[in-house]
C-alpha cells in the first residue's frame, strides 16, 4: 500500500490469461494469447476497475534447423472496448551449434523490428545468446526511432535450465 495525504491507498485483483499454440508442421508453429481476458482490480476505497485485455497472435517458421523467422501482432483493448492493433513485431534468428562437450554449446544471433503504431515508434533490435549446459547468457540492444526522444536500451539476462 501507498500513503498519500494521510490516506492509505492499495488494491488487490486478479486476471486470467489464456494461450494456445498449434504445431502445424515440425517447423511451423502458430500461437494466440489473450491477457486479462477476465480481470478486476479492487481498490481500498471500494472502486472496482477492469484491466484492459490484450490479444497476441504470432508464428514461428524454421527455414532450416538453425535459421528461423517469426512474427507477431499485438492488439490492445481500446476505450470503446474493441481491440486495436498496437504493435507489429518481426524477427530472425541464426544459431551456430558446437560440440555438446564444449563449454559453449550454441550461439544464437538475432535481429528484429517493431512498429509501435500507438506511440508512433519504430524499434530496431539485435541480440545474441550463449548456450551452455544448464544456462544461457543473453544480450539485446534496442534502438528506438521516430519518437520525441530517440533512445537505446541494453538488456542482459541469464536463463537457467533444469
Amino acid at each position: 500500500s501507498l500513503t498519500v495525504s494521510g490516506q492509505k491507498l492499495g488494491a488487490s485483483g486478479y486476471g486470467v490469461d489464456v494461450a494456445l499454440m498449434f504445431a502445424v508442421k515440425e517447423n511451423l508453429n502458430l500461437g494466440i494469447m489473450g491477457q486479462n481476458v477476465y480481470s478486476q482490480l479492487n481498490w481500498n476505497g471500494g472502486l472496482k476497475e477492469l484491466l484492459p485485455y490484450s490479444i497476441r497472435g504470432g508464428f514461428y517458421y524454421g527455414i532450416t534447423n538453425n535459421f528461423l523467422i517469426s512474427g507477431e501482432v499485438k492488439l490492445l483493448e481500446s476505450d470503446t472496448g474493441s481491440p486495436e492493433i498496437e504493435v507489429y513485431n518481426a524477427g530472425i534468428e541464426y544459431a551456430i551449434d558446437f560440440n555438446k562437450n564444449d563449454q559453449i554449446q550454441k550461439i544464437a544471433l538475432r535481429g528484429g523490428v517493431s512498429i509501435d503504431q500507438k506511440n508512433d515508434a519504430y524499434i530496431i533490435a539485435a541480440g545474441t545468446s550463449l548456450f551452455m549446459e544448464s544456462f544461457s547468457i543473453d544480450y539485446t540492444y534496442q534502438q528506438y526511432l521516430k519518437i520525441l526522444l530517440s533512445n537505446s536500451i541494453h538488456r542482459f539476462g541469464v536463463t537457467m535450465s533444469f
Side-chain angles (χ1 to χ4, degrees):
S1 17
L2 174 68
T3 303
V4 176
S5 300
Q7 279 191 305
K8 206 172 203 182
L9 302 175
S12 63
Y14 58 87
V16 176
D17 302 337
V18 293
L20 293 171
M21 188 162 77
F22 305 97
V24 178
K25 294 170 66 177
E26 184 178 321
N27 62 340
L28 176 62
N29 290 341
L30 301 175
I32 188 165
M33 177 179 67
Q35 292 177 293
N36 295 325
V37 293
Y38 184 73
S39 64
Q40 185 170 300
L41 194 59
N42 302 308
W43 291 93
N44 286 350
L47 177 67
K48 294 183 180 191
E49 183 179 0
L50 296 177
L51 299 173
Y53 67 83
S54 68
I55 300 169
R56 292 174 181 243
F59 76 93
Y60 150 94
Y61 180 69
I63 296 171
T64 67
N65 287 341
N66 293 348
F67 184 63
L68 68 89
I69 60 172
S70 63
E72 177 191 46
V73 176
K74 179 181 177 185
L75 298 95
L76 190 62
E77 181 180 13
S78 68
D79 294 337
T80 63
S82 61
E84 290 182 353
I85 295 176
E86 183 181 46
V87 178
Y88 297 96
N89 298 309
I92 60 171
E93 177 181 283
Y94 183 75
I96 303 166
D97 292 315
F98 297 108
N99 188 327
K100 293 291 181 193
N101 295 325
D102 291 344
Q103 186 168 356
I104 296 176
Q105 297 172 351
K106 180 168 76 168
I107 295 176
L109 305 170
R110 295 183 196 90
V113 295
S114 294
I115 301 170
D116 184 341
Q117 289 190 187
K118 189 172 184 179
N119 297 306
D120 193 28
Y122 300 91
I123 304 160
I124 299 171
T128 189
S129 292
L130 303 175
F131 294 89
M132 286 149 252
E133 186 175 339
S134 60
F135 69 97
S136 67
I137 300 171
D138 310 298
Y139 169 74
T140 302
Y141 172 79
Q142 293 177 304
Q143 179 66 48
Y144 286 74
L145 307 170
K146 199 181 172 191
I147 56 176
L148 186 58
L149 298 171
S150 290
N151 59 11
S152 59
I153 295 176
H154 299 269
R155 296 176 193 253
F156 292 92
V158 176
T159 304
M160 303 295 293
S161 302
F162 49 93

